Amino acid sequence: MSATRPIIDAVVEHLQAAIPWVSVEAFPERPSEYQFIHPVGAILVGYGGSKFGDIEQLGRIAQQRDVRLMLTIFGSSLNADDGTLAILDETRLAMVGFAPPNCQPCHLISEEFLAEDAGAWQYQLVLQTETQQVERRPADTRPKVSSLYLRQQGQP
């Protein structure tokens, strides 16, 4: 519950199925070394951080976790039918309402132009989903009650 990597993996899988004509992958370990080489476009899915709500009074610590996902969209052209703007449109359509494992459906936060270099366009789309962060407690190892002997009236 509330694990980050399964959320990213689910988003990558969902986007790749929804937009099969682009490359979709998790944000690389070394972003400065990433090279956009796909002939049409690429989407990189990254974790942008979380914010946590108030502690819910349930007898243990439980908080809402607002998870931010950063999608970097690359396109080899801007206005073509399969260009960067089309990839952005398809990405928004695919992600709004998609619910990663143990999460609420995703919704949009922002979108912005990042850069253009030799005809390769970059935009960033920020999404959010909500999940629960719950305290992990060790298993209860106390012996369980297996039978009861009830005292009858008049017995000591």
Side-chain angles (χ1 to χ4, degrees):
M1 189 149 79
S2 190
T4 305
R5 190 61 209 210
I7 294 170
I8 293 171
D9 292 343
V11 169
V12 168
E13 184 178 316
H14 176 71
L15 281 173
Q16 191 63 77
I19 315 171
W21 39 277
V22 300
S23 170
V24 182
E25 53 190 288
F27 213 80
E29 294 285 331
R30 295 183 181 91
S32 63
E33 296 176 11
Y34 176 76
Q35 293 183 354
F36 168 54
I37 57 174
H38 194 276
V40 177
I43 303 171
L44 300 179
V45 180
Y47 172 63
S50 293
K51 291 188 178 184
F52 298 90
D54 294 335
I55 296 173
E56 298 172 11
Q57 301 301 319
L58 300 172
R60 63 174 48 194
I61 295 175
Q63 295 173 275
Q64 179 171 309
R65 177 183 176 204
D66 299 338
V67 179
R68 291 260 169 133
L69 299 170
M70 318 295 276
L71 307 182
T72 303
I73 289 96
F74 294 87
S76 58
S77 66
L78 183 62
N79 296 308
D81 288 343
D82 60 358
T84 310
L85 295 180
I87 297 169
L88 274 168
D89 290 342
E90 292 297 323
T91 303
R92 271 188 255 105
L93 288 171
M95 289 307 302
V96 170
F98 170 69
N102 301 312
C103 294
Q104 295 297 312
C106 292
H107 53 94
L108 303 171
I109 300 296
S110 67
E111 178 179 282
E112 66 180 310
F113 170 75
L114 293 179
E116 182 275 332
D117 183 23
W121 296 82
Q122 290 182 45
Y123 281 81
Q124 182 176 59
L125 181 62
V126 180
L127 307 166
Q128 182 170 305
T129 183
E130 292 80 24
T131 185
Q132 290 290 310
Q133 185 68 48
V134 179
E135 169 188 4
R136 180 182 285 177
R137 287 191 178 176
D140 186 358
T141 59
R142 295 179 291 180
K144 305 289 184 235
V145 175
S146 60
S147 62
L148 294 174
Y149 297 102
L150 299 175
R151 183 174 67 122
Q152 300 296 321
Q153 189 172 12
Q155 291 180 332

